[in-house]
Amino acid sequence: MLAVLRACCCLAWLLLRCGEGLPEQPPDRPGADRQRPDTDVDAPSAGAEKPSDAFSFLRELQAFLGDVFPLPPGEAVSLRVQLPSLKSLPSLALGPASSETLLVGLLNSSSPTFFSFPPLRSVRRLGRGGELALPPDLLEELRRKLGTLEQQVEVLMGEVAVEQKAVRSLERLKALSALPREVRPAGELQYRAFLLMLALQTVSQAYEIQRGLRAARAGQASESNICRVQEHYMQLETYVLSPCRASIKKCTGVCSFPLHNPTNHAVVIFDQIQSGALLDSSVCCVPVAYDSLRVVELMDDGTTLSHVKENMFAKECGCR
């Protein structure tokens, strides 16, 4: 019995000595901090100051754009694009001093908008977000267009299996950017409503593309051999943009009689080719109308239209 007691004491002593060399916690895995999302890093602790509406809106907008966009088939994303390799127009600030011409152009534009978000920890330090000072007529146009887009996107999201967290994000975004009618909305509300309008316009376009693809698969589209617009997806080679992929579209098909959306020049050349008088030319299916790519850069010191890539997305095709 005494021998057993001595053995137990020795074992306990050895375990204590071995435990002295063990770390209190296992070391972090390499790259763990890089993989942890900003929302986890910046989550407020108990008793911490409540995040500003500016921070809440940008965080929600980033989450919404990450969740809502329909993903194309994996094999469809074959084109990878570096934005710096493309020509850009000069940057323009989006704020109270923005010209009415710029604001009208943005309200009436059909160009998709991509958003470059800052680290959310830097946005948290903001007491106020961006601001706009829209004249009454543009404010009313923003209110009308935003309401229309909200309804359109809700319908389009209802047609496909969108995750509920995206639906909840949209509801929170609408609450954070609601424009009251009884009083003039504050500049911060105008700013948030304007960004949401640009985002929902891009979402609506993406879902309309998917709707067209579904129609084509169901045999409701026009014949596949004529000159037409076809989807062609690109992946933007940067992690700061949301969404990170889009369809720039391309023109495909043949230009046969009757020519699709031709110029007079194409008609004459085609007639000569058909008669055998011209053998070294052809009439091709090419883009005839384009949309631009717009990137809104959201920084803690202001908002900028940082990259406007003209003639980026094919809107319409024709024989030329």
Side-chain angles (χ1 to χ4, degrees), residues 52-68:
S52 68
D53 286 345
F55 171 80
S56 298
F57 176 82
L58 291 181
R59 179 178 60 181
E60 204 68 67
L61 182 62
Q62 187 172 16
F64 174 70
L65 292 173
D67 295 333
V68 75

Side-chain angles (χ1 to χ4, degrees), residues 16 30 32 102 239:
L16 287 174
L102 172 63
Y239 67 92

